[in-house]
Amino acid sequence: MVALIVILFPPLLIAFLLVMERVEEPLRRPTSQREVEEFLGSATPGEVGTLANSGIRRAMSRWRARRRGRARSAPRPVLTERHHAMADADVDPVDED
């Protein structure tokens, strides 16, 4: 029994370390400016609260998880400031004659 533990422990430890490396890789990757802009354009109030309370890393991980879940269902377009300006320009002003 001890021999079996001695034989299996090193490969199991290496396998665990390899799995942890894959888990830690996204955590080490810095947040890009594009991702921050998308976050600020589409964040929910809960995600903004997470940003205020826990910082950018936790807020971005929550936002990425929501975005991954949404990508599996129906994708929604993200409106940028340019799209908002174009949408505002399409609205007809009320005539005040």
Side-chain angles (χ1 to χ4, degrees):
M1 183 65 178
V2 173
L4 185 63
I5 292 173
V6 169
I7 292 172
L8 290 180
F9 183 74
L12 290 175
L13 181 62
I14 291 172
F16 175 74
L17 292 174
L18 290 173
V19 169
M20 289 308 296
E21 178 70 25
R22 292 192 67 160
V23 169
E24 291 176 358
E25 180 60 33
L27 300 175
R28 278 191 245 126
R29 185 182 52 148
T31 303
S32 69
Q33 181 179 356
R34 181 187 57 81
E35 284 183 313
V36 172
E37 289 172 356
E38 286 180 22
F39 172 80
L40 294 174
S42 66
T44 63
E47 291 164 345
V48 174
T50 303
L51 174 64
N53 294 328
S54 302
I56 189 72
R57 285 188 186 265
R58 181 163 292 173
M60 289 300 292
S61 67
R62 183 176 173 180
W63 177 73
R64 286 180 187 130
R66 179 176 60 92
R67 200 171 66 167
R68 274 190 307 251
R70 187 175 65 202
R72 292 181 194 136
S73 60
R76 291 184 355 206
V78 176
L79 295 178
T80 61
E81 288 182 32
R82 181 172 176 243
H83 289 102
H84 286 293
M86 289 171 51
D88 292 341
D90 291 340
V91 175
D92 295 328
V94 177
D95 292 334
E96 297 182 14
D97 290 336

